[in-house]
Amino acid sequence: APQKLMRRCLRLARTAATRSRQPLLSTRAPALLASHALPAAAAAPLLRRRCSSAALPDGPPQPAPTRQNLFEVARELPKYGVGSKVFRSGWTRNGYDPNEHHWQITRVELWTKGDEEQFQRGKAWGVLTWKGVTEAGERRVRTPLKKEWVHLCDAQAGRANSAA
């Protein structure tokens, strides 16, 4: 029965926190614990916010990674990305390995915006590799304007630096 009560208190606290955007320690949960003669100190670890200050890393906050669409990534690569491998960062968040899920760019058409050569729009074609299987011919890259494209070599270099 105490564990059931703890789970109920935790559920109440989380519900109150999401509805009112208040801290996870709500006013109702400790009162409910006290009414059932359970020490609030025993439930404190369960009622603590997921992002407590103890979990924060030391030092200044890291800047957010720059988010770029496919053409902004291609602009920084040799030959505007032709021959390079790119992937969407959303794929890695969903558990897909970039080495087995990526596009190899075969041709790019970039459009300038006004007088400046910003190259933020265009069309791109490539060969898709999905689950390690490479398609036979080239096709147009879908959703190139989403701000989540990453060059495969840059991502591997970043992982190597973080592992060291």
Side-chain angles (χ1 to χ4, degrees), residues 41-102:
L46 294 175
L47 296 175
R48 205 176 292 141
R49 288 188 71 126
R50 287 186 186 164
C51 298
S52 67
S53 59
L56 295 175
D58 294 335
Q62 297 296 323
T66 56
R67 299 176 56 163
Q68 297 179 319
N69 68 27
L70 178 61
F71 306 112
E72 291 167 341
V73 172
R75 177 181 61 199
E76 298 170 1
L77 298 172
K79 297 190 286 183
Y80 294 109
V82 173
S84 62
K85 295 178 182 179
V86 293
F87 66 97
R88 285 179 43 193
S89 60
W91 295 347
T92 57
R93 282 193 308 268
N94 292 331
Y96 296 113
D97 179 25
N99 292 316
E100 295 181 358
H101 305 83
H102 59 267

Side-chain angles (χ1 to χ4, degrees):
Q3 287 182 346
K4 223 180 209 185
L5 180 63
M6 291 281 211
R7 278 184 269 168
R8 183 170 176 222
C9 290
L10 185 59
R11 189 169 43 247
L12 280 172
R14 283 190 180 146
T15 305
T18 55
R19 285 187 186 154
S20 64
R21 298 189 185 269
Q22 295 295 319
L24 189 56
L25 281 172
S26 72
T27 56
R28 257 181 96 189
L32 187 62
L33 288 173
S35 67
H36 285 74
L38 286 176
L46 294 175
L47 296 175
R48 205 176 292 141
R49 288 188 71 126
R50 287 186 186 164
C51 298
S52 67
S53 59
L56 295 175
D58 294 335
Q62 297 296 323
T66 56
R67 299 176 56 163
Q68 297 179 319
N69 68 27
L70 178 61
F71 306 112
E72 291 167 341
V73 172
R75 177 181 61 199
E76 298 170 1
L77 298 172
K79 297 190 286 183
Y80 294 109
V82 173
S84 62
K85 295 178 182 179
V86 293
F87 66 97
R88 285 179 43 193
S89 60
W91 295 347
T92 57
R93 282 193 308 268
N94 292 331
Y96 296 113
D97 179 25
N99 292 316
E100 295 181 358
H101 305 83
H102 59 267
W103 283 94
Q104 182 160 8
I105 305 299
T106 56
R107 77 187 149 121
V108 177
E109 288 180 14
L110 296 171
W111 302 324
T112 59
K113 185 178 180 182
D115 295 335
E116 304 169 10
E117 291 192 15
Q118 292 183 352
F119 299 127
Q120 294 177 344
R121 300 278 189 270
K123 295 180 184 178
W125 290 264
V127 179
L128 177 65
T129 300
W130 196 257
K131 296 183 180 177
V133 178
T134 304
E135 292 184 350
E138 77 172 7
R139 64 179 178 147
R140 192 165 168 188
V141 177
R142 295 190 59 188
T143 64
L145 294 178
K146 285 195 177 269
K147 295 271 191 181
E148 56 180 23
W149 288 94
V150 182
H151 183 234
L152 186 60
C153 292
D154 292 344
Q156 289 175 344
R159 267 194 244 130
N161 289 342
S162 65

